[in-house]
Amino acid sequence: METSFREMDLLSRSLHQAHRAAVQAELSAAGLERVGHPMLVSILQSAGDSPDGQCQAQRELADLLHISPAAVANSLKCLERDGYIRREPWQKDARRNRVMLTEKGAAAVEGCRDVFRRVSARMMAGFSPEELAQLAQFQRRMLDNLTTDFPIKKE
């Protein structure tokens, strides 16, 4: 059993690295390598579609992306510098900024989504619908296992 856990860990890491490399290669081929965090711009587009156009708080973005608030702040700074977003004070609460996509940012979102679709299609090629459903079920269970609090065993 120990060997299979080691093999699964290695496969998981290898898959993650291969996926990241494929996404980065596709982003570069599409001229989108400057979009440091493509999922962030996608979330910002969704937030911009809300009735008040308000972006989620930095902490909420960090939680959604499973990264630190400092990493979100750094990504937002780079996206603003490169012309993908702009910030303005939120009228209802001056302590918060609205983060909005520029036209360049909106175009980048579509390009990033195309990249994710191409990489996913390539990664899932050859799987039957039943296999994909089973894989999704296994992945949800693994995620639940990792996000559910387990008591720490003391020896």
Side-chain angles (χ1 to χ4, degrees), residues 4-144:
S4 67
F5 281 145
R6 247 185 266 141
E7 183 180 3
M8 290 300 295
D9 187 46
L10 181 59
L11 283 170
S12 179
R13 290 171 194 256
S14 297
L15 177 60
H16 177 73
Q17 290 172 342
H19 184 268
R20 285 182 61 118
V23 167
Q24 286 305 314
E26 288 277 346
L27 287 171
S28 292
L32 294 168
E33 63 275 357
R34 305 249 336 153
V35 179
H37 208 298
M39 287 302 296
L40 180 57
V41 291
S42 294
I43 289 170
L44 291 174
Q45 183 187 45
S46 299
D49 293 340
S50 69
D52 61 2
Q54 176 197 351
C55 175
Q56 293 170 312
Q58 189 171 302
R59 159 65 58 209
E60 293 166 333
L61 288 169
D63 289 345
L64 277 170
L65 295 166
H66 304 288
I67 60 175
S68 72
V72 169
N74 190 45
S75 291
L76 290 174
K77 185 190 309 182
C78 292
L79 289 169
E80 186 172 31
R81 179 198 66 216
D82 293 337
Y84 292 105
I85 64 167
R86 70 177 192 282
R87 302 183 214 210
E88 339 180 308
W90 189 41
Q91 293 176 351
K92 295 179 183 179
D93 184 350
R95 295 171 296 174
R96 293 179 72 168
N97 283 326
R98 286 177 48 192
V99 180
M100 295 174 290
L101 290 172
T102 62
E103 284 184 38
K104 180 180 179 180
V109 167
E110 289 310 310
C112 290
R113 287 183 179 167
D114 288 343
V115 162
F116 289 135
R117 280 190 284 272
R118 284 194 302 272
V119 170
S120 290
R122 198 167 122 208
M123 183 171 62
M124 301 301 176
F127 285 89
S128 71
E130 295 79 18
E131 289 171 324
L132 290 173
Q134 190 174 29
L135 178 61
Q137 183 181 14
F138 290 151
Q139 289 177 326
R140 278 191 294 276
R141 190 182 324 160
M142 287 187 279
L143 185 59
D144 287 345

